Amino acid sequence: MATVVLSGGVGAARFLTGLVEVMDPRDITVISNTGDDSEFYGLYVCPDIDTVIYTLAGMVNPKTGWGLVGDSFRALTELEALGCEAWFQLGDRDLATHIWRTMLLRQGRTLSQVTQQLAQTRGLRLTILPMSDHPVQTVLETEAGRLPFQEYMVKHRFQVAVSNICFEGSDKALPAPGVLEAIADAEQIIIAPSNPYVSIGTILSVPGIRKALENAPGKVAAISPIVGGNAVKGPAARLLCELGRPVSPLGVAQLYHSFVDLMIVDEADSALLPHIKALGMEAASAQTMMTSPQAKVTLAKQVLELMK
Ligand code: FO1
């Protein structure tokens, strides 16, 4: 069954490891956020795409959820000794991915082409599409000034108040080849448990994607990344609060209500189901905490069952 998954980084990657166990990966198209992409030392780094690929290939560092398991940081140490800033932990083996990607982009390949080649090289059978081949940068307006996403997230550890989020370049961006077609052809579309502002919101900022979701003939379900008033990972709870939304799956549902048919919340948040339904969408609860390989498979099964 043709399935599209809108994806950020770690939460989406964990969900996808369950999904590929319960359906044919060749039927899955992942549309990945690229607003977190950054250049470090002249290299083009795509954290969300790499997190999904490394996780599905069984290569990810299980402690962090990003980067490669067992990687070392000798190149970074040398770069620091040369006077470079080194707050973004790029491992030695991870650097090979960024060198290779940058090399192919400089030869004129598109990010879509490079991403598909990278996924195939790592043995993956699903399709991974960047949201756009054009550069879009998530920039947060904060009390410490305008910060590109990785500076906000990693350098400042998201401990600065945010007043607004911009997606620079999105007005000139086009969806990557295949993105709108995948949404239109999908029998089901799943919004992964990713940050609704800086992962999914960034994808929605690319002209045409929100409209395609609103008009999609397939059912659209979203899994809440907020459980019991907290983000499972990252700044989602803080951003909901700072941008004036309820810090709960209800706040997420408010952001998604124009295109989501079914909101899936954790069992801990079952009491919110009537409030979410009042927005005009279906709502159901499931065990969304992916604390073991079995829990990931169970969640994927439950999501597919709820979407029937
Ligand atoms: N996240 C961190 O919190 N600290 C890091 O130093 C860091 C390095 C890093 C390197 C490669 C990569 O693919 C991801 C990396 N991440 C790091 C994760 C990344 O900042 C975010 O989790 C995503 O951009 C949000 O989805």
Side-chain angles (χ1 to χ4, degrees):
M1 195 183 219
T3 302
V4 161
V5 179
L6 262 61
S7 158
V10 178
R14 290 186 173 149
F15 174 70
L16 284 163
T17 52
L19 194 63
V20 296
E21 293 297 321
V22 299
M23 63 177 289
D24 188 336
R26 290 169 301 185
D27 288 337
I28 302 173
T29 300
V30 176
I31 299 174
S32 177
N33 169 38
T34 56
D36 302 7
D37 294 5
S38 290
E39 227 180 87
F40 292 97
Y41 322 115
L43 302 176
Y44 193 75
V45 180
C46 297
D48 284 356
I49 288 174
D50 291 345
T51 295
V52 167
I53 292 177
Y54 290 162
T55 303
L56 291 173
M59 303 163 74
V60 83
N61 179 341
K63 288 203 191 105
T64 55
W66 47 264
L68 287 161
V69 65
D71 213 347
S72 51
F73 294 87
R74 296 174 68 175
L76 199 69
T77 306
E78 289 305 319
L79 283 160
E80 200 167 15
L82 292 169
C84 295
E85 279 195 90
W87 49 266
F88 197 70
Q89 296 296 296
L90 291 170
D92 295 328
R93 288 168 52 228
D94 190 21
L95 278 168
T97 300
H98 314 312
I99 292 169
W100 184 83
R101 173 187 289 121
T102 307
M103 194 176 80
L104 294 186
L105 289 172
R106 291 217 179 116
Q107 285 169 7
R109 309 269 193 98
T110 64
L111 186 59
S112 312
Q113 290 166 339
V114 178
T115 302
Q116 195 54 20
Q117 199 174 333
L118 197 53
Q120 277 166 5
T121 309
R122 298 302 190 184
L124 307 189
R125 289 182 303 149
L126 45 62
T127 302
I128 303 179
L129 301 175
M131 63 188 201
S132 177
D133 281 336
H134 300 93
V136 175
Q137 181 152 66
T138 304
V139 175
L140 296 105
E141 289 175 6
T142 78
E143 58 189 340
R146 286 170 61 80
L147 300 175
F149 180 79
Q150 297 301 347
E151 283 197 36
Y152 163 72
M153 171 87 185
V154 177
K155 197 172 181 182
H156 290 269
R157 303 196 176 283
F158 52 92
Q159 298 307 309
V160 284
V162 171
S163 53
N164 192 27
I165 304 173
C166 308
F167 305 110
E168 287 187 352
S170 71
D171 53 332
K172 292 186 276 304
L174 294 173
V179 164
L180 297 181
E181 294 81 349
I183 293 172
D185 293 346
E187 285 151 278
Q188 50 190 8
I189 299 170
I190 303 168
I191 316 296
S194 298
N195 190 305
Y197 288 110
V198 291
S199 298
I200 306 303
T202 315
I203 300 175
L204 297 173
S205 78
V206 178
I209 296 188
R210 180 185 279 271
K211 189 96 299 27
L213 289 167
E214 287 169 353
N215 295 334
K219 189 164 185 172
V220 184
I223 306 162
S224 173
I226 302 286
V227 174
N230 283 310
V232 177
K233 203 173 191 308
R238 239 195 112 113
L239 289 175
L240 282 164
C241 175
E242 287 165 355
L243 299 173
R245 299 274 173 192
V247 184
S248 75
L250 179 62
V252 181
Q254 288 174 353
L255 293 169
Y256 291 167
H257 84 277
S258 77
F259 59 88
V260 160
D261 304 305
L262 167 67
M263 190 75 206
I264 299 171
V265 310
D266 191 78
E267 281 167 3
D269 292 314
S270 298
L272 291 168
L273 294 177
H275 302 281
I276 295 172
K277 286 179 186 164
L279 296 173
M281 62 177 79
E282 296 169 46
S285 64
Q287 281 276 9
T288 65
M289 296 299 286
M290 295 177 279
T291 44
S292 68
Q294 188 50 49
K296 292 170 198 164
V297 172
T298 306
L299 176 61
K301 272 191 195 150
Q302 277 186 298
V303 169
L304 296 186
E305 196 56 39
L306 289 166
M307 291 188 82
K308 279 184 185 160

